[in-house]
């Protein structure tokens, strides 16, 4: 704040920008993972479906739902 009185507007801008915390690695990893999940072939997903897909993928990677039998009530016959 040595030159804040000389450059008050620049000092305000610097305070606002420098107060923003750095991006954590987990957020960067989430965006990277999302890039692979939300590819051009899945461009018809709604925002809600895309969000649920990304969250589910992250949960599965962390081991949540390992003991859940997802396909118990699913039949492949019509």
């Amino acid at each position: 704040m040595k030159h804040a009185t000389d450059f008050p507007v620049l000092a305000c801008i610097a305070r606002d920008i420098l107060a923003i915390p750095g991006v954590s690695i987990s957020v960067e990893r989430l965006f990277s993972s999302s890039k692979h999940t939300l590819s051009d072939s899945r461009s018809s997903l709604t925002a809600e479906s895309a969000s649920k897909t990304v969250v589910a993928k992250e949960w599965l990677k962390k081991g949540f739902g390992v003991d859940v039998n997802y396909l118990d009530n699913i039949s492949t016959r019509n």
Side-chain angles (χ1 to χ4, degrees), residues 3-45:
H3 297 286
T5 56
D6 297 329
F7 305 100
V9 174
L10 187 58
C12 280
I13 293 171
R15 268 194 307 270
D16 288 346
I17 292 176
L18 296 176
I20 298 171
V23 176
S24 70
I25 292 174
S26 62
V27 172
E28 291 178 5
R29 187 173 54 243
L30 177 63
F31 276 109
S32 177
S33 174
S34 299
K35 172 180 68 174
H36 299 296
T37 303
L38 305 174
S39 62
D40 288 340
S41 63
R42 295 188 179 142
S43 61
S44 63
L45 285 174

Side-chain angles (χ1 to χ4, degrees), residues 1 3 11 14 16 18-19 21 24 35 38 42 45 47 51 55 58-59 64 66-67 73 78:
M1 302 308 292
H3 297 286
D16 288 346
L18 296 176
S24 70
K35 172 180 68 174
L38 305 174
R42 295 188 179 142
L45 285 174
S51 177
V55 169
E58 289 302 308
W59 285 354
F64 297 130
V66 171
D67 298 328
N73 298 321
N78 293 343

